[in-house]
Amino acid sequence: MEEFFMNFVWLQWIGTAFGVTQVLLARKNNVNNYIFGIIGILIGIWVLYHSKLYADILLHLYYLVMSIYGYLYWKFGKEKQEAPIAYSKRDEHLKAGGIVLGCFVLMSYWLTQHTDSDVPYLDAVVSAFAWAGMWLMAKRKIENWVYLNISNIISIPLLIYKELYIYAGLTVFLFIVGTSGYLKWRKLIKQNHSHAALARS
């Protein structure tokens, strides 16, 4: 039993390492970020299952589906060629907002009516923005960093309140990477526009 517990702890650290690697590669606009993300998600599902955190398993399953979709979209796009990073269009902003609102309403109802959560609305907000951010990242839209960082900034005091200080520290790191990622992607978009303008001239 002790050996299993130690392995269980190591699994958490390994899963976290894959997650951090995924975010750092995403910042660099590297499509292989999804490979590390998928491995981290699968480890996370295993850990959550043994921890009986079934709601988080559903969130991780969503991450898994969006990671597979994101990898294929980044790699091939709609035109069977690699999709470029870009700003969201109006309809994509509306869809992201719809994801936030829909997820918040559903999660709030479930957490208040069917769980003993003492922070249902904050928990719901964190999940809602994370869902929208993950969808935007799969579409290779720069606004994904904004949505993910809104989720992160709300999550930090929530994790501290829950005395999960290691995860709170990790989330601070993810917030810093998210901010850096936004600035990095904005620079890449400007470079792509400059190269496209030169090619047309």
Side-chain angles (χ1 to χ4, degrees):
M1 191 68 177
E2 183 178 353
E3 182 181 353
F4 172 79
F5 178 76
M6 291 303 295
N7 290 337
F8 187 66
V9 171
W10 274 110
L11 274 178
Q12 294 179 66
W13 281 109
I14 292 170
T16 299
F18 274 102
V20 169
T21 303
Q22 187 264 330
V23 174
L24 292 174
L25 287 175
R27 176 190 174 277
K28 293 182 177 180
N29 193 33
N30 188 323
V31 68
N32 292 318
N33 81 83
Y34 283 111
I35 302 299
F36 288 88
I38 288 170
I39 295 172
I41 290 165
L42 292 174
I43 292 173
I45 289 173
W46 176 259
V47 171
L48 292 168
Y49 175 76
H50 285 281
S51 300
K52 298 182 180 180
L53 294 172
Y54 304 119
D56 282 340
I57 290 175
L58 292 177
L59 181 59
H60 273 60
L61 287 172
Y62 168 76
Y63 284 163
L64 180 62
V65 171
M66 292 309 297
S67 293
I68 294 171
Y69 169 78
Y71 179 81
L72 295 175
Y73 186 85
W74 280 37
K75 201 75 173 173
F76 305 109
K78 291 182 178 180
E79 308 299 330
K80 304 303 179 184
Q81 60 184 0
E82 186 170 317
I85 57 174
Y87 289 98
S88 296
K89 297 178 181 177
R90 183 173 181 274
D91 65 318
E92 290 166 331
H93 279 296
L94 292 174
K95 288 177 182 178
I99 292 173
V100 171
L101 181 60
C103 182
F104 175 75
V105 170
L106 291 173
M107 289 295 291
S108 294
Y109 172 78
W110 183 71
L111 289 169
T112 55
Q113 300 299 316
H114 300 286
T115 75
D116 59 354
S117 173
D118 60 339
V119 285
Y121 298 110
L122 281 177
D123 202 5
V125 170
V126 169
S127 294
F129 278 97
W131 279 59
M134 191 65 184
W135 178 74
L136 286 168
M137 179 171 282
K139 300 290 287 184
R140 217 168 196 171
K141 302 300 179 179
I142 189 173
E143 291 83 3
N144 85 85
W145 298 111
V146 177
Y147 281 81
L148 290 174
N149 261 1
I150 292 173
S151 176
N152 287 332
I153 202 68
I154 298 170
S155 182
I156 292 166
L158 184 60
L159 290 168
I160 292 173
Y161 170 73
K162 290 292 186 179
E163 298 183 354
L164 298 172
Y165 303 118
I166 294 176
Y167 287 119
L170 173 63
T171 307
V172 170
F173 170 77
L174 294 177
F175 178 83
I176 294 170
V177 173
T179 303
S180 176
Y182 179 87
L183 296 174
K184 175 74 173 180
W185 279 34
R186 187 173 66 176
K187 182 179 179 181
L188 289 172
I189 290 174
K190 288 180 179 178
Q191 289 177 351
N192 290 340
H193 287 170
S194 297
H195 293 159
L198 287 173
R200 289 193 298 268
S201 62

